[in-house]
Amino acid sequence: DPAPDGRSAAAVRCTGGSCGLVRVDLASGAVTLLRAGTLDSVWTRPRWSPDGARLVAGVQANGRWRVVLLDPANPTAPPRP
């Protein structure tokens, strides 16, 4: 999903059977990991807020899907339900 400023995009990258959440710099192609996927935790369908300050994404953990709110400026902050 392209960010409102047009400089980056939120995406899902799947490798080795797990899907994590990443940000892609659209000018350089550089990829920044926002949330790692694991075999037990799968990320999907990230979307930017209209102001670009937040991301919402689906995550499946422990066999349960939920939608969480993330701060892309602070990728280590816990997601909010």
Side-chain angles (χ1 to χ4, degrees):
D1 187 41
D5 66 9
R7 296 186 303 194
S8 65
V12 172
R13 178 178 61 181
C14 298
T15 58
S18 64
C19 296
L21 190 62
V22 297
R23 180 176 16 205
V24 181
D25 182 291
L26 296 177
S28 69
V31 176
T32 303
L33 181 65
L34 298 175
R35 297 289 168 164
T38 68
L39 296 177
D40 298 320
S41 177
V42 178
W43 292 88
T44 189
R45 298 188 176 170
R47 296 292 180 261
W48 288 96
S49 63
D51 63 3
R54 294 171 307 278
L55 279 170
V56 66
V59 62
Q60 182 187 35
N62 301 315
R64 181 177 157 234
W65 283 100
R66 62 189 176 113
V67 176
V68 296
L69 192 62
L70 302 164
D71 178 358
N74 187 2
T76 60
R80 297 184 318 208

